[in-house]
Amino acid sequence: MKSKTIKFRDPVVENVVDKFVSRSDVGYAKYGRTLHSERTGKHKDLAGYLNDIQEELMDAILYIQAAREELTENKQPEAFRPPHPSHASTAQQDWDDAIAPV
């Protein structure tokens, strides 16, 4: 296993990288191989990867819908902050869209 030391200037980026590493660990524990060994070992072809991407994106849409319904049912628009003032021309419409019922 390769090891690397990274200096992060942005804690948000660091958190995302940590999640990628954790996700990789879960995948390795589940399938017993890395994405690299899966690809180079020809365990999956391009069509297989495209299918995986499509399924993951479909799941993401479902999670977005469930989250929107949760916001609507709980009447908690304060979970969102109004858009940054630098987007003033569309800020109110964006804000209205963010809290609009599903």
Side-chain angles (χ1 to χ4, degrees):
M1 182 184 319
K2 190 173 170 181
S3 180
K4 182 184 275 191
T5 301
I6 302 171
K7 294 180 181 176
F8 292 96
R9 80 178 117 249
D10 187 336
V12 173
V13 174
E14 182 178 9
N15 290 336
V16 170
V17 170
D18 289 345
K19 288 181 181 190
F20 271 117
V21 171
S22 177
R23 181 86 174 134
S24 176
D25 291 343
V26 169
Y28 188 79
K30 185 173 181 179
Y31 298 106
R33 57 183 174 249
T34 64
L35 279 174
H36 177 74
S37 64
E38 180 180 79
R39 184 184 63 78
T40 58
K42 303 296 182 195
H43 299 280
K44 191 179 295 184
D45 61 4
L46 181 57
Y49 287 115
L50 290 171
N51 186 63
D52 288 350
I53 292 166
Q54 184 178 38
E55 289 175 358
E56 294 295 339
L57 291 173
M58 290 166 61
D59 288 346
I61 295 297
L62 295 174
Y63 296 140
I64 290 168
Q65 182 63 32
R68 291 182 69 136
E69 290 177 13
E70 182 70 16
L71 283 173
T72 300
E73 288 171 10
N74 290 320
K75 307 273 192 247
Q76 296 179 353
E78 65 275 2
F80 290 104
R81 283 192 229 161
H84 191 273
S86 66
H87 301 105
S89 62
T90 59
Q92 188 60 50
Q93 183 61 43
D94 290 346
W95 176 246
D96 291 343
D97 289 346
I99 62 169
V102 180

